[in-house]
Amino acid sequence: MTEPTQTTDFGYRKVAKDEKAQLVAEVFHSVADKYDLMNDLMSMGIHRIWKRFTVDCSGVRRGHRVLDLGGGTGDLTAKFSRMVGEDGQVVLADINNSMLKVGRSKLRDRGIVGNVAYVQANAEELPFPDNYFDCITISFCLRNVTDKDKALRSMFRVLKPGGRLLVLEFSKPVIEPLSKIYDAYSFHILPRVGEMVVGDADSYRYLAESIRMHPDQATLEGMMQEAGFEQTSFHNLTGGIVALHRGYKF
């Protein structure tokens, strides 16, 4: 008797767990070249404020090791590179090679070299030693991970005692009128913009669906606690459209 295939969410679809990573990869291969432009268009530039707040909450200083997980085109890496200085290190890690290539090219064009390393890695099985990083950030990526609990445990393992994890992710609006406007924008306007700019409406339809399937603020905080993180908290940004979760390893 064959065992039933385990499934997971891919947007609103159910797919086999071992298929999701490839499906997500296809989305980001498609959008990688225009990823930064679409971020500016989708958020009207507000994503830069969300990321700046994340950096300000990181506690990163000179000499630290930082993992920018799912860091894509390197917005956070660029900021952390300046903060850790020549004695520190920032690892820009992403499972998607197309995104990693765009990030590497962009940062090198800006003269950011020396203290930045690039690693293609799966968040569920991070290829780093135990107790290695002072800070880990994962920005607009966790919702695309197949096994989020496994990924959180993997992040906990490679974080130093006293280190912190920051999860910046789309979340659940806490103001009802805003929620309705956000839904209308996500499902009617966003795919059209994706079609016009990238030639790919389906990828942006998936991104909107993946946001709706992501755990809400309290649920994600509970998942972080289950993974071992302590002193967890979250801060809603733009009415809860985005939330920054924090947790520490002691």
Side-chain angles (χ1 to χ4, degrees):
M1 181 177 177
T2 59
E3 294 185 3
T5 302
Q6 290 187 315
T7 61
T8 190
D9 298 317
F10 177 73
Y12 289 163
R13 293 165 50 196
K14 287 289 185 183
V15 299
K17 273 193 170 184
D18 57 5
E19 294 178 0
K20 180 171 179 176
Q22 180 58 37
L23 291 170
V24 171
E26 290 170 4
V27 168
F28 285 94
H29 285 316
S30 174
V31 306
D33 288 341
K34 298 288 181 65
Y35 184 79
D36 286 337
L37 173 61
M38 281 297 295
N39 275 352
D40 282 329
L41 292 174
M42 286 189 302
S43 72
M44 294 173 284
I46 298 173
H47 74 99
R48 299 177 186 277
I49 298 173
W50 299 332
K51 291 171 181 174
R52 181 73 257 177
F53 181 74
T54 301
V55 170
D56 289 346
C57 292
S58 69
V60 167
R61 58 183 184 271
R62 292 188 69 82
H64 273 184
R65 284 196 193 114
V66 179
L67 175 61
D68 182 11
L69 183 56
T73 59
D75 285 348
L76 293 182
T77 293
K79 293 179 172 60
F80 286 134
S81 174
R82 292 189 291 270
M83 294 168 70
V84 302
E86 60 184 18
D87 295 328
Q89 184 188 45
V90 184
V91 176
L92 172 55
D94 203 292
I95 196 172
N96 188 281
N97 191 46
S98 295
M99 294 290 286
L100 206 57
K101 285 180 177 178
V102 172
R104 184 190 297 115
S105 177
K106 184 174 80 172
L107 294 180
R108 288 181 175 175
D109 285 348
R110 294 170 60 180
I112 299 172
V113 294
N115 65 356
V116 176
Y118 302 89
V119 177
Q120 188 170 0
N122 185 334
E124 298 173 22
E125 298 176 350
L126 292 171
F128 306 109
D130 295 355
N131 308 318
Y132 190 74
F133 292 102
D134 297 282
C135 179
I136 300 174
T137 59
I138 180 166
S139 172
F140 304 115
C141 171
L142 186 60
R143 72 182 187 280
N144 296 309
V145 174
T146 302
D147 190 332
K148 297 175 181 61
D149 292 307
K150 187 176 181 181
L152 288 167
R153 291 194 299 271
S154 184
M155 291 178 234
F156 185 83
R157 177 185 65 79
V158 302
L159 194 64
K160 287 181 180 179
R164 73 183 74 184
L165 168 69
L166 296 103
V167 181
L168 181 66
E169 187 56 90
F170 290 107
S171 199
K172 300 295 185 284
V174 294
I175 304 169
E176 186 60 29
L178 177 61
S179 182
K180 292 179 179 178
I181 294 169
Y182 183 47
D183 280 347
Y185 169 77
S186 297
F187 290 103
H188 297 289
I189 297 175
L190 181 56
R192 293 179 185 176
V193 176
E195 178 63 36
M196 288 187 295
V197 176
V198 185
D200 184 352
D202 288 343
S203 289
Y204 285 93
R205 192 171 292 110
Y206 157 73
L207 292 175
E209 292 174 358
S210 70
I211 292 167
R212 300 317 185 280
M213 299 304 293
H214 186 65
D216 64 19
Q217 289 90 323
T219 301
L220 179 54
E221 183 179 16
M223 292 167 65
M224 292 172 64
Q225 292 168 353
E226 285 292 319
F229 291 97
E230 300 180 45
Q231 293 185 13
T232 58
S233 63
F234 62 84
H235 186 97
N236 287 319
L237 301 165
T238 316
I241 287 176
V242 165
L244 177 65
H245 282 72
R246 281 179 277 188
Y248 297 81
K249 177 178 178 177
F250 294 110

PDB file of all heavy atoms in Angstrom, residues 48-78:
ATOM      1  N   ARG A  48      10.904  50.345   1.410  1.00  0.00           N
ATOM      2  CA  ARG A  48      12.195  50.861   1.882  1.00  0.00           C
ATOM      3  C   ARG A  48      12.112  51.298   3.350  1.00  0.00           C
ATOM      4  O   ARG A  48      13.074  51.138   4.103  1.00  0.00           O
ATOM      5  CB  ARG A  48      12.652  52.017   1.002  1.00  0.00           C
ATOM      6  CG  ARG A  48      12.857  51.605  -0.454  1.00  0.00           C
ATOM      7  CD  ARG A  48      13.250  52.778  -1.336  1.00  0.00           C
ATOM      8  NE  ARG A  48      13.306  52.370  -2.726  1.00  0.00           N
ATOM      9  CZ  ARG A  48      14.357  51.772  -3.295  1.00  0.00           C
ATOM     10  NH1 ARG A  48      15.433  51.530  -2.569  1.00  0.00           N
ATOM     11  NH2 ARG A  48      14.327  51.415  -4.565  1.00  0.00           N
ATOM     12  N   ILE A  49      10.963  51.834   3.740  1.00  0.00           N
ATOM     13  CA  ILE A  49      10.762  52.227   5.142  1.00  0.00           C
ATOM     14  C   ILE A  49      10.673  50.986   6.020  1.00  0.00           C
ATOM     15  O   ILE A  49      11.241  50.936   7.121  1.00  0.00           O
ATOM     16  CB  ILE A  49       9.496  53.097   5.276  1.00  0.00           C
ATOM     17  CG1 ILE A  49       9.653  54.388   4.467  1.00  0.00           C
ATOM     18  CG2 ILE A  49       9.192  53.399   6.739  1.00  0.00           C
ATOM     19  CD1 ILE A  49       8.405  55.235   4.397  1.00  0.00           C
ATOM     20  N   TRP A  50       9.951  49.956   5.557  1.00  0.00           N
ATOM     21  CA  TRP A  50       9.853  48.714   6.319  1.00  0.00           C
ATOM     22  C   TRP A  50      11.240  48.103   6.539  1.00  0.00           C
ATOM     23  O   TRP A  50      11.557  47.638   7.638  1.00  0.00           O
ATOM     24  CB  TRP A  50       8.972  47.705   5.580  1.00  0.00           C
ATOM     25  CG  TRP A  50       7.559  48.140   5.355  1.00  0.00           C
ATOM     26  CD1 TRP A  50       6.817  48.994   6.112  1.00  0.00           C
ATOM     27  CD2 TRP A  50       6.703  47.730   4.271  1.00  0.00           C
ATOM     28  NE1 TRP A  50       5.554  49.139   5.582  1.00  0.00           N
ATOM     29  CE2 TRP A  50       5.456  48.377   4.460  1.00  0.00           C
ATOM     30  CE3 TRP A  50       6.861  46.878   3.179  1.00  0.00           C
ATOM     31  CZ2 TRP A  50       4.384  48.194   3.583  1.00  0.00           C
ATOM     32  CZ3 TRP A  50       5.796  46.691   2.309  1.00  0.00           C
ATOM     33  CH2 TRP A  50       4.576  47.347   2.515  1.00  0.00           C
ATOM     34  N   LYS A  51      12.051  48.106   5.504  1.00  0.00           N
ATOM     35  CA  LYS A  51      13.395  47.519   5.615  1.00  0.00           C
ATOM     36  C   LYS A  51      14.298  48.364   6.515  1.00  0.00           C
ATOM     37  O   LYS A  51      15.102  47.831   7.281  1.00  0.00           O
ATOM     38  CB  LYS A  51      13.997  47.350   4.221  1.00  0.00           C
ATOM     39  CG  LYS A  51      13.298  46.265   3.401  1.00  0.00           C
ATOM     40  CD  LYS A  51      13.765  46.250   1.957  1.00  0.00           C
ATOM     41  CE  LYS A  51      13.029  45.179   1.162  1.00  0.00           C
ATOM     42  NZ  LYS A  51      13.346  45.221  -0.286  1.00  0.00           N
ATOM     43  N   ARG A  52      14.158  49.683   6.425  1.00  0.00           N
ATOM     44  CA  ARG A  52      14.945  50.564   7.287  1.00  0.00           C
ATOM     45  C   ARG A  52      14.599  50.326   8.754  1.00  0.00           C
ATOM     46  O   ARG A  52      15.491  50.288   9.621  1.00  0.00           O
ATOM     47  CB  ARG A  52      14.652  52.022   6.910  1.00  0.00           C
ATOM     48  CG  ARG A  52      15.420  53.070   7.704  1.00  0.00           C
ATOM     49  CD  ARG A  52      16.867  53.117   7.292  1.00  0.00           C
ATOM     50  NE  ARG A  52      17.748  52.456   8.251  1.00  0.00           N
ATOM     51  CZ  ARG A  52      19.049  52.321   8.095  1.00  0.00           C
ATOM     52  NH1 ARG A  52      19.645  52.794   7.016  1.00  0.00           N
ATOM     53  NH2 ARG A  52      19.778  51.717   9.013  1.00  0.00           N
ATOM     54  N   PHE A  53      13.334  50.122   9.051  1.00  0.00           N
ATOM     55  CA  PHE A  53      12.906  49.834  10.423  1.00  0.00           C
ATOM     56  C   PHE A  53      13.511  48.510  10.891  1.00  0.00           C
ATOM     57  O   PHE A  53      13.958  48.385  12.042  1.00  0.00           O
ATOM     58  CB  PHE A  53      11.375  49.776  10.493  1.00  0.00           C
ATOM     59  CG  PHE A  53      10.825  49.499  11.868  1.00  0.00           C
ATOM     60  CD1 PHE A  53      10.848  50.474  12.847  1.00  0.00           C
ATOM     61  CD2 PHE A  53      10.285  48.257  12.173  1.00  0.00           C
ATOM     62  CE1 PHE A  53      10.343  50.223  14.122  1.00  0.00           C
ATOM     63  CE2 PHE A  53       9.780  47.998  13.438  1.00  0.00           C
ATOM     64  CZ  PHE A  53       9.810  48.977  14.410  1.00  0.00           C
ATOM     65  N   THR A  54      13.535  47.523  10.013  1.00  0.00           N
ATOM     66  CA  THR A  54      14.129  46.225  10.348  1.00  0.00           C
ATOM     67  C   THR A  54      15.603  46.372  10.700  1.00  0.00           C
ATOM     68  O   THR A  54      16.077  45.826  11.707  1.00  0.00           O
ATOM     69  CB  THR A  54      13.959  45.252   9.174  1.00  0.00           C
ATOM     70  OG1 THR A  54      12.565  45.099   8.888  1.00  0.00           O
ATOM     71  CG2 THR A  54      14.556  43.889   9.485  1.00  0.00           C
ATOM     72  N   VAL A  55      16.331  47.107   9.886  1.00  0.00           N
ATOM     73  CA  VAL A  55      17.753  47.335  10.144  1.00  0.00           C
ATOM     74  C   VAL A  55      17.937  48.056  11.480  1.00  0.00           C
ATOM     75  O   VAL A  55      18.818  47.712  12.278  1.00  0.00           O
ATOM     76  CB  VAL A  55      18.389  48.133   8.991  1.00  0.00           C
ATOM     77  CG1 VAL A  55      19.798  48.596   9.350  1.00  0.00           C
ATOM     78  CG2 VAL A  55      18.422  47.289   7.719  1.00  0.00           C
ATOM     79  N   ASP A  56      17.101  49.049  11.740  1.00  0.00           N
ATOM     80  CA  ASP A  56      17.206  49.807  12.993  1.00  0.00           C
ATOM     81  C   ASP A  56      16.943  48.931  14.217  1.00  0.00           C
ATOM     82  O   ASP A  56      17.444  49.230  15.313  1.00  0.00           O
ATOM     83  CB  ASP A  56      16.225  50.979  12.983  1.00  0.00           C
ATOM     84  CG  ASP A  56      16.628  52.080  12.014  1.00  0.00           C
ATOM     85  OD1 ASP A  56      17.785  52.080  11.551  1.00  0.00           O
ATOM     86  OD2 ASP A  56      15.768  52.933  11.689  1.00  0.00           O
ATOM     87  N   CYS A  57      16.159  47.871  14.037  1.00  0.00           N
ATOM     88  CA  CYS A  57      15.836  46.975  15.154  1.00  0.00           C
ATOM     89  C   CYS A  57      16.813  45.817  15.290  1.00  0.00           C
ATOM     90  O   CYS A  57      16.680  44.993  16.201  1.00  0.00           O
ATOM     91  CB  CYS A  57      14.422  46.402  14.981  1.00  0.00           C
ATOM     92  SG  CYS A  57      13.093  47.610  15.143  1.00  0.00           S
ATOM     93  N   SER A  58      17.809  45.747  14.415  1.00  0.00           N
ATOM     94  CA  SER A  58      18.658  44.566  14.339  1.00  0.00           C
ATOM     95  C   SER A  58      19.717  44.482  15.429  1.00  0.00           C
ATOM     96  O   SER A  58      20.186  43.388  15.756  1.00  0.00           O
ATOM     97  CB  SER A  58      19.350  44.511  12.971  1.00  0.00           C
ATOM     98  OG  SER A  58      20.315  45.561  12.857  1.00  0.00           O
ATOM     99  N   GLY A  59      20.129  45.621  15.961  1.00  0.00           N
ATOM    100  CA  GLY A  59      21.220  45.616  16.936  1.00  0.00           C
ATOM    101  C   GLY A  59      22.575  45.275  16.344  1.00  0.00           C
ATOM    102  O   GLY A  59      23.536  45.018  17.079  1.00  0.00           O
ATOM    103  N   VAL A  60      22.668  45.262  15.017  1.00  0.00           N
ATOM    104  CA  VAL A  60      23.924  44.893  14.357  1.00  0.00           C
ATOM    105  C   VAL A  60      24.960  45.992  14.554  1.00  0.00           C
ATOM    106  O   VAL A  60      24.653  47.188  14.463  1.00  0.00           O
ATOM    107  CB  VAL A  60      23.679  44.633  12.852  1.00  0.00           C
ATOM    108  CG1 VAL A  60      24.991  44.549  12.072  1.00  0.00           C
ATOM    109  CG2 VAL A  60      22.867  43.352  12.677  1.00  0.00           C
ATOM    110  N   ARG A  61      26.200  45.572  14.806  1.00  0.00           N
ATOM    111  CA  ARG A  61      27.291  46.534  14.971  1.00  0.00           C
ATOM    112  C   ARG A  61      28.572  45.956  14.370  1.00  0.00           C
ATOM    113  O   ARG A  61      28.584  44.827  13.858  1.00  0.00           O
ATOM    114  CB  ARG A  61      27.485  46.890  16.436  1.00  0.00           C
ATOM    115  CG  ARG A  61      27.782  45.734  17.358  1.00  0.00           C
ATOM    116  CD  ARG A  61      27.892  46.210  18.796  1.00  0.00           C
ATOM    117  NE  ARG A  61      28.259  45.140  19.708  1.00  0.00           N
ATOM    118  CZ  ARG A  61      27.397  44.344  20.314  1.00  0.00           C
ATOM    119  NH1 ARG A  61      26.092  44.484  20.104  1.00  0.00           N
ATOM    120  NH2 ARG A  61      27.821  43.394  21.131  1.00  0.00           N
ATOM    121  N   ARG A  62      29.628  46.725  14.442  1.00  0.00           N
ATOM    122  CA  ARG A  62      30.900  46.342  13.819  1.00  0.00           C
ATOM    123  C   ARG A  62      31.364  44.971  14.328  1.00  0.00           C
ATOM    124  O   ARG A  62      31.282  44.680  15.522  1.00  0.00           O
ATOM    125  CB  ARG A  62      31.978  47.385  14.092  1.00  0.00           C
ATOM    126  CG  ARG A  62      31.718  48.723  13.397  1.00  0.00           C
ATOM    127  CD  ARG A  62      32.908  49.656  13.534  1.00  0.00           C
ATOM    128  NE  ARG A  62      34.051  49.188  12.755  1.00  0.00           N
ATOM    129  CZ  ARG A  62      34.198  49.402  11.448  1.00  0.00           C
ATOM    130  NH1 ARG A  62      33.261  50.059  10.770  1.00  0.00           N
ATOM    131  NH2 ARG A  62      35.277  48.959  10.822  1.00  0.00           N
ATOM    132  N   GLY A  63      31.874  44.173  13.385  1.00  0.00           N
ATOM    133  CA  GLY A  63      32.405  42.867  13.741  1.00  0.00           C
ATOM    134  C   GLY A  63      31.389  41.747  13.771  1.00  0.00           C
ATOM    135  O   GLY A  63      31.761  40.576  13.913  1.00  0.00           O
ATOM    136  N   HIS A  64      30.107  42.056  13.633  1.00  0.00           N
ATOM    137  CA  HIS A  64      29.072  41.028  13.688  1.00  0.00           C
ATOM    138  C   HIS A  64      29.038  40.194  12.412  1.00  0.00           C
ATOM    139  O   HIS A  64      29.437  40.632  11.334  1.00  0.00           O
ATOM    140  CB  HIS A  64      27.699  41.669  13.897  1.00  0.00           C
ATOM    141  CG  HIS A  64      27.359  41.881  15.331  1.00  0.00           C
ATOM    142  ND1 HIS A  64      26.149  42.371  15.764  1.00  0.00           N
ATOM    143  CD2 HIS A  64      28.068  41.666  16.475  1.00  0.00           C
ATOM    144  CE1 HIS A  64      26.121  42.449  17.074  1.00  0.00           C
ATOM    145  NE2 HIS A  64      27.285  42.036  17.528  1.00  0.00           N
ATOM    146  N   ARG A  65      28.507  38.968  12.562  1.00  0.00           N
ATOM    147  CA  ARG A  65      28.150  38.134  11.423  1.00  0.00           C
ATOM    148  C   ARG A  65      26.638  38.175  11.260  1.00  0.00           C
ATOM    149  O   ARG A  65      25.896  37.903  12.210  1.00  0.00           O
ATOM    150  CB  ARG A  65      28.571  36.676  11.646  1.00  0.00           C
ATOM    151  CG  ARG A  65      30.047  36.399  11.490  1.00  0.00           C
ATOM    152  CD  ARG A  65      30.236  34.883  11.350  1.00  0.00           C
ATOM    153  NE  ARG A  65      31.634  34.510  11.506  1.00  0.00           N
ATOM    154  CZ  ARG A  65      32.095  33.777  12.508  1.00  0.00           C
ATOM    155  NH1 ARG A  65      31.265  33.346  13.444  1.00  0.00           N
ATOM    156  NH2 ARG A  65      33.369  33.469  12.567  1.00  0.00           N
ATOM    157  N   VAL A  66      26.188  38.487  10.041  1.00  0.00           N
ATOM    158  CA  VAL A  66      24.755  38.636   9.765  1.00  0.00           C
ATOM    159  C   VAL A  66      24.376  37.714   8.613  1.00  0.00           C
ATOM    160  O   VAL A  66      25.089  37.640   7.602  1.00  0.00           O
ATOM    161  CB  VAL A  66      24.411  40.091   9.398  1.00  0.00           C
ATOM    162  CG1 VAL A  66      22.919  40.236   9.093  1.00  0.00           C
ATOM    163  CG2 VAL A  66      24.813  41.042  10.518  1.00  0.00           C
ATOM    164  N   LEU A  67      23.256  37.030   8.749  1.00  0.00           N
ATOM    165  CA  LEU A  67      22.687  36.239   7.668  1.00  0.00           C
ATOM    166  C   LEU A  67      21.446  36.941   7.148  1.00  0.00           C
ATOM    167  O   LEU A  67      20.466  37.099   7.881  1.00  0.00           O
ATOM    168  CB  LEU A  67      22.333  34.837   8.162  1.00  0.00           C
ATOM    169  CG  LEU A  67      21.599  33.924   7.151  1.00  0.00           C
ATOM    170  CD1 LEU A  67      22.455  33.681   5.913  1.00  0.00           C
ATOM    171  CD2 LEU A  67      21.203  32.595   7.814  1.00  0.00           C
ATOM    172  N   ASP A  68      21.508  37.375   5.889  1.00  0.00           N
ATOM    173  CA  ASP A  68      20.350  37.961   5.204  1.00  0.00           C
ATOM    174  C   ASP A  68      19.732  36.830   4.386  1.00  0.00           C
ATOM    175  O   ASP A  68      20.101  36.586   3.238  1.00  0.00           O
ATOM    176  CB  ASP A  68      20.807  39.125   4.317  1.00  0.00           C
ATOM    177  CG  ASP A  68      19.653  39.823   3.613  1.00  0.00           C
ATOM    178  OD1 ASP A  68      18.483  39.558   3.966  1.00  0.00           O
ATOM    179  OD2 ASP A  68      19.921  40.627   2.707  1.00  0.00           O
ATOM    180  N   LEU A  69      18.788  36.132   4.997  1.00  0.00           N
ATOM    181  CA  LEU A  69      18.240  34.902   4.432  1.00  0.00           C
ATOM    182  C   LEU A  69      17.069  35.221   3.500  1.00  0.00           C
ATOM    183  O   LEU A  69      16.182  35.997   3.848  1.00  0.00           O
ATOM    184  CB  LEU A  69      17.780  33.983   5.567  1.00  0.00           C
ATOM    185  CG  LEU A  69      17.235  32.612   5.202  1.00  0.00           C
ATOM    186  CD1 LEU A  69      18.241  31.809   4.383  1.00  0.00           C
ATOM    187  CD2 LEU A  69      16.858  31.855   6.469  1.00  0.00           C
ATOM    188  N   GLY A  70      17.091  34.603   2.330  1.00  0.00           N
ATOM    189  CA  GLY A  70      16.094  34.961   1.322  1.00  0.00           C
ATOM    190  C   GLY A  70      16.286  36.403   0.907  1.00  0.00           C
ATOM    191  O   GLY A  70      15.328  37.092   0.564  1.00  0.00           O
ATOM    192  N   GLY A  71      17.551  36.843   0.943  1.00  0.00           N
ATOM    193  CA  GLY A  71      17.866  38.267   0.768  1.00  0.00           C
ATOM    194  C   GLY A  71      17.738  38.784  -0.640  1.00  0.00           C
ATOM    195  O   GLY A  71      17.867  39.989  -0.858  1.00  0.00           O
ATOM    196  N   GLY A  72      17.511  37.887  -1.605  1.00  0.00           N
ATOM    197  CA  GLY A  72      17.209  38.311  -2.962  1.00  0.00           C
ATOM    198  C   GLY A  72      18.204  39.291  -3.540  1.00  0.00           C
ATOM    199  O   GLY A  72      19.383  38.997  -3.693  1.00  0.00           O
ATOM    200  N   THR A  73      17.728  40.486  -3.829  1.00  0.00           N
ATOM    201  CA  THR A  73      18.549  41.476  -4.526  1.00  0.00           C
ATOM    202  C   THR A  73      19.384  42.336  -3.577  1.00  0.00           C
ATOM    203  O   THR A  73      19.998  43.304  -4.018  1.00  0.00           O
ATOM    204  CB  THR A  73      17.670  42.365  -5.420  1.00  0.00           C
ATOM    205  OG1 THR A  73      16.689  43.026  -4.620  1.00  0.00           O
ATOM    206  CG2 THR A  73      16.973  41.537  -6.488  1.00  0.00           C
ATOM    207  N   GLY A  74      19.402  42.008  -2.285  1.00  0.00           N
ATOM    208  CA  GLY A  74      20.424  42.538  -1.400  1.00  0.00           C
ATOM    209  C   GLY A  74      20.186  43.881  -0.753  1.00  0.00           C
ATOM    210  O   GLY A  74      21.141  44.506  -0.280  1.00  0.00           O
ATOM    211  N   ASP A  75      18.931  44.336  -0.645  1.00  0.00           N
ATOM    212  CA  ASP A  75      18.685  45.634  -0.010  1.00  0.00           C
ATOM    213  C   ASP A  75      19.197  45.668   1.428  1.00  0.00           C
ATOM    214  O   ASP A  75      19.859  46.625   1.844  1.00  0.00           O
ATOM    215  CB  ASP A  75      17.188  45.966  -0.028  1.00  0.00           C
ATOM    216  CG  ASP A  75      16.693  46.389  -1.398  1.00  0.00           C
ATOM    217  OD1 ASP A  75      17.535  46.645  -2.275  1.00  0.00           O
ATOM    218  OD2 ASP A  75      15.463  46.462  -1.591  1.00  0.00           O
ATOM    219  N   LEU A  76      18.882  44.634   2.211  1.00  0.00           N
ATOM    220  CA  LEU A  76      19.327  44.608   3.604  1.00  0.00           C
ATOM    221  C   LEU A  76      20.830  44.346   3.687  1.00  0.00           C
ATOM    222  O   LEU A  76      21.527  44.925   4.534  1.00  0.00           O
ATOM    223  CB  LEU A  76      18.558  43.545   4.384  1.00  0.00           C
ATOM    224  CG  LEU A  76      17.070  43.794   4.593  1.00  0.00           C
ATOM    225  CD1 LEU A  76      16.452  42.676   5.420  1.00  0.00           C
ATOM    226  CD2 LEU A  76      16.808  45.126   5.266  1.00  0.00           C
ATOM    227  N   THR A  77      21.323  43.478   2.818  1.00  0.00           N
ATOM    228  CA  THR A  77      22.757  43.186   2.815  1.00  0.00           C
ATOM    229  C   THR A  77      23.582  44.453   2.632  1.00  0.00           C
ATOM    230  O   THR A  77      24.606  44.644   3.292  1.00  0.00           O
ATOM    231  CB  THR A  77      23.091  42.168   1.707  1.00  0.00           C
ATOM    232  OG1 THR A  77      22.489  40.911   2.022  1.00  0.00           O
ATOM    233  CG2 THR A  77      24.598  41.971   1.568  1.00  0.00           C
ATOM    234  N   ALA A  78      23.152  45.321   1.738  1.00  0.00           N
ATOM    235  CA  ALA A  78      23.893  46.565   1.485  1.00  0.00           C
ATOM    236  C   ALA A  78      24.006  47.395   2.757  1.00  0.00           C
ATOM    237  O   ALA A  78      25.082  47.939   3.069  1.00  0.00           O
ATOM    238  CB  ALA A  78      23.193  47.364   0.387  1.00  0.00           C
TER     239      ALA A  78
END
